[in-house]
């Protein structure tokens, strides 16, 4: 007997927003028939979020993909302009689950307690603006002292197969839970919050074959840094 797909909330903070794995599966069914080749994990996540899988041109390093991310995350420094731009769109609330995290404007100088108190005083106007705007447009708001944005995201919002964009270079941290998370500029975040597909140049795929085993004090991060050193920053641009 067939059963209806179980609705799973995106997070405990958004009980009425659900993970749409069915959309990913439906899109991948179309893409597999079109490409007729095995897909990498990153391709499964990206192509599973295509806005129009049937008509989207898909060529690594050439095509520009139109994607529908699951979530937008912003840190307080970049969220100010992003929210001002979103407000000008005249939309009653964000089109996808979004959140703002107040961590970047806290200056580490003397100690946690005094630094946090000073940040709340110096940045009061900014924090008040972000808090009230998030409340009005239905964004999650994590005030100063709640923690670092990337740790909050991976503990509360990331999930396997998610496509997340964030206005910070460390957004890929959410990849630790099997998400494809990409740092973007504020304009890209505003587009997605307003319900417009996110445009991304179809990434190339760089395969890394590991042999042997880790030894001594070696960590996975050492491997990542070694690969980055071989490719150089330029070599990794436009690729996963």
């Amino acid at each position: 007997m067939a059963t209806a797909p179980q609705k799973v909330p995106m997070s405990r903070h958004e009980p009425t927003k659900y993970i749409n794995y069915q959309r990913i599966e439906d899109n991948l069914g179309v893409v597999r028939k079109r490409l007729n080749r095995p897909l990498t994990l990153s391709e499964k996540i990206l192509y599973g979020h295509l806005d129009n899988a049937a008509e989207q041109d898909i060529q690594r390093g050439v095509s520009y993909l139109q994607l529908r991310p699951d979530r937008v995350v912003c840190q307080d420094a970049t969220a100010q302009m992003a929210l001002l731009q979103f407000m000008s769109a005249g939309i009653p609330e964000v089109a996808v689950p979004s959140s703002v995290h107040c961590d970047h404007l806290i200056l580490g100088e003397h100690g946690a307690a005094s630094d946090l108190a000073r940040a709340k005083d110096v940045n009061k106007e900014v924090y008040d603006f972000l808090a009230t705007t998030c409340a009005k447009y239905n964004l999650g708001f994590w005030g100063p002292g709640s923690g670092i944005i990337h740790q909050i995201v991976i503990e509360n919002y990331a999930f396997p197969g998610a496509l997340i964009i964030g206005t910070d270079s460390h957004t890929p941290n959410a990849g630790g839970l099997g998400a494809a998370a990409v740092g973007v500029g504020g304009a890209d975040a505003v587009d997605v919050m307003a319900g417009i597909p996110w445009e991304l140049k179809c990434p190339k795929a760089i395969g890394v074959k590991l042999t042997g085993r880790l030894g001594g004090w070696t960590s996975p991060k050492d491997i990542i840094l070694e690969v980055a050193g071989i490719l150089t920053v330029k070599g990794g641009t436009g690729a996963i």
Side-chain angles (χ1 to χ4, degrees):
M1 179 183 294
T3 58
Q6 182 182 5
K7 285 188 173 182
V8 179
M10 273 197 172
S11 78
R12 60 192 177 93
H13 306 290
E14 298 149 338
T16 61
K17 304 291 185 180
Y18 302 104
I19 299 175
N20 194 350
Y21 280 131
Q22 190 60 52
R23 174 186 64 175
I24 296 176
E25 189 60 32
D26 292 345
N27 274 354
L28 290 182
V30 174
V31 172
R32 286 189 177 101
K33 290 179 180 178
R34 291 185 54 198
L35 298 184
N36 193 30
R37 64 167 174 79
L39 301 175
T40 67
L41 175 58
S42 62
E43 286 179 318
K44 290 177 182 177
I45 299 175
L46 288 179
Y47 302 162
H49 288 81
L50 287 171
D51 182 51
N52 186 342
E55 299 180 9
Q56 171 70 61
D57 183 44
I58 304 173
Q59 299 182 64
R60 289 177 180 171
V62 177
S63 309
Y64 281 87
L65 306 178
Q66 300 291 316
L67 302 164
R68 293 286 184 179
D70 296 300
R71 174 174 301 283
V72 177
V73 295
C74 306
Q75 42 98 334
D76 47 358
T78 52
Q80 299 170 58
M81 184 56 68
L83 289 181
L84 284 170
Q85 290 178 325
F86 175 79
M87 291 165 65
S88 68
I91 300 172
E93 69 174 64
V94 287
V96 303
S98 306
S99 57
V100 171
H101 306 261
C102 298
D103 65 343
H104 277 56
L105 295 180
I106 301 172
L107 176 64
E109 191 171 12
H110 300 295
S114 59
D115 292 343
L116 179 59
R118 182 174 184 276
K120 288 180 177 180
D121 178 53
V122 173
N123 303 307
K124 183 179 186 305
E125 184 177 9
V126 173
Y127 293 150
D128 288 348
F129 164 71
L130 294 176
T132 53
T133 305
C134 286
K136 180 175 181 178
Y137 294 104
N138 198 25
L139 289 83
F141 177 73
W142 296 74
S146 57
I148 298 172
I149 173 175
H150 314 295
Q151 194 63 28
I152 293 174
V153 170
I154 202 168
E155 290 181 358
N156 292 273
Y157 295 130
F159 59 87
L163 177 58
I164 299 173
I165 63 170
T167 59
D168 189 84
S169 60
H170 291 86
T171 302
N173 189 61
L177 271 181
V182 186
V184 300
D188 285 11
V190 175
D191 284 349
V192 175
M193 287 192 287
I196 300 172
W198 174 48
E199 186 175 83
L200 173 73
K201 191 171 187 178
C202 188
K204 294 176 282 187
I206 298 175
V208 179
K209 182 180 180 181
L210 300 177
T211 60
R213 64 175 63 184
L214 295 177
W217 292 96
T218 310
S219 72
K221 187 174 183 179
D222 294 312
I223 298 175
I224 294 171
L225 293 174
E226 178 67 18
V227 172
I230 294 171
L231 295 173
T232 74
V233 173
K234 185 177 180 181
T237 302
I240 293 179

